[in-house]
Amino acid sequence: VQLQASGGGLVQTGGSLRLSCAASGSIFSINVMAWYRQAPGKQRELVAVITNNGRTNYADSVKGRFTISRDNAKNTVLLQMNSLKREDTAVYYCHADEITVRGGMKYVDLWGQGTQVTVSS
């Protein structure tokens, strides 16, 4: 079971990007999914989280600008980022707290490989 993130890139201030993270494997269900980010010299921080029934929560710094969503049928989580600021520059990581595969085995604390988002002025 793996998480594969994509969609990062270089964008100007005020622009938009959409990140995608797909879970691969014989997946039965995924519990909570989230996006984190880590800027140079800073600790990794939670950006947005979504439960398996669609409840969301956001860091104060991105409320009103970022939207997290998921497609349970495709085992994906998306992060739509609008009105990007220079301080949003970071490596973004997707995370799943628990993935259950067909057969019942559970995988916990899974991270994607990270995707770079750079916002320039």
Side-chain angles (χ1 to χ4, degrees):
V1 175
Q2 292 184 347
L3 297 177
Q4 182 74 35
S6 61
L10 175 64
V11 64
Q12 290 188 328
T13 301
S16 298
L17 281 174
R18 189 176 77 162
L19 305 183
S20 177
C21 178
S24 62
S26 184
I27 294 170
F28 177 74
S29 67
I30 304 175
N31 194 21
V32 176
M33 302 188 80
W35 287 95
Y36 288 74
R37 67 187 181 187
Q38 187 167 18
K42 295 188 177 181
Q43 291 187 333
R44 191 173 297 188
E45 63 174 355
L46 178 65
V47 175
V49 61
I50 185 167
T51 66
N52 57 2
N53 59 5
R55 299 180 71 174
T56 60
N57 202 8
Y58 298 90
D60 288 342
S61 60
V62 307
K63 281 181 181 176
R65 300 188 297 121
F66 290 11
T67 302
I68 189 171
S69 61
R70 63 190 287 171
D71 184 335
N72 290 333
K74 296 181 179 180
N75 298 318
T76 60
V77 61
L78 304 174
L79 185 68
Q80 179 66 44
M81 306 184 293
N82 298 328
S83 302
L84 283 161
K85 305 176 181 180
R86 290 190 64 184
E87 51 263 43
D88 295 318
T89 296
V91 177
Y92 284 70
Y93 299 89
C94 58
H95 179 265
D97 71 335
E98 183 181 89
I99 295 179
T100 303
V101 299
R102 302 187 188 283
M105 184 175 292
K106 296 182 184 294
Y107 294 79
V108 298
D109 195 27
L110 292 167
W111 292 92
Q113 85 283 11
T115 184
Q116 176 71 46
V117 172
T118 303
V119 185
S120 64
S121 59

